[in-house]
């Protein structure tokens, strides 16, 4: 499957809600897991702002890649973020997957941490 690296350096990415387990089958409640590692997958819903225009999207991250103290509204980063085009009998689109989701370090370069 083709993967396209995504550069978020020119975007503002903010967490919309705390990460939630990705449900594979809504009828049975089966939770999605990574095919290789077997770890539970989580949906991370974010607002992505580019040139002042916001869009909402979901990025999938395995459980061990989620920083535990994330709160809605905080700026976040997605190391290893890739876009994956998909197509099936019901439609097509782009899914997003990342190695991790972490709080963005907002420390200014050259700042000494003093007000």
């Amino acid at each position: 499957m083709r993967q396209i690296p995504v550069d978020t350096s020119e975007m503002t990415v903010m967490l919309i809600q705390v990460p939630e387990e990705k449900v594979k089958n809504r009828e049975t409640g089966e939770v999605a897991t990574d095919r290789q590692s077997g770890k539970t997958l989580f949906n991370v819903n974010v607002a992505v702002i580019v040139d002042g225009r916001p869009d909402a999207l979901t990025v999938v991250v395995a459980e061990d890649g989620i920083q535990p103290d994330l709160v809605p509204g905080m700026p976040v980063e997605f190391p290893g973020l890739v876009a994956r085009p998909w197509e099936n009998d019901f439609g097509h689109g782009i899914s997003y997957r990342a190695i991790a989701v972490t709080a963005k370090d907002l420390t200014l370069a050259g700042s000494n941490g003093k007000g």
Side-chain angles (χ1 to χ4, degrees), residues 29-110:
E30 180 184 2
V31 175
T33 57
D34 183 84
R35 290 180 185 162
Q36 294 176 347
S37 70
K39 295 181 184 196
T40 300
L41 296 176
F42 280 74
N43 285 329
V44 182
N45 295 309
V46 294
V48 177
I49 304 167
V50 180
D51 295 330
R53 297 182 58 214
D55 282 303
L57 63 91
T58 301
V59 179
V60 175
V61 177
E63 61 187 313
D64 61 344
I66 297 176
Q67 182 175 319
D69 57 348
L70 298 175
V71 294
M74 76 176 7
V76 293
E77 297 179 305
F78 288 100
L81 180 61
V82 294
R84 295 177 175 173
W86 61 268
E87 183 175 357
N88 62 29
D89 293 339
F90 304 105
H92 62 277
I94 299 173
S95 63
Y96 297 91
R97 179 85 185 252
I99 296 168
V101 56
T102 60
K104 184 169 185 171
D105 182 7
L106 298 177
T107 305
L108 296 175

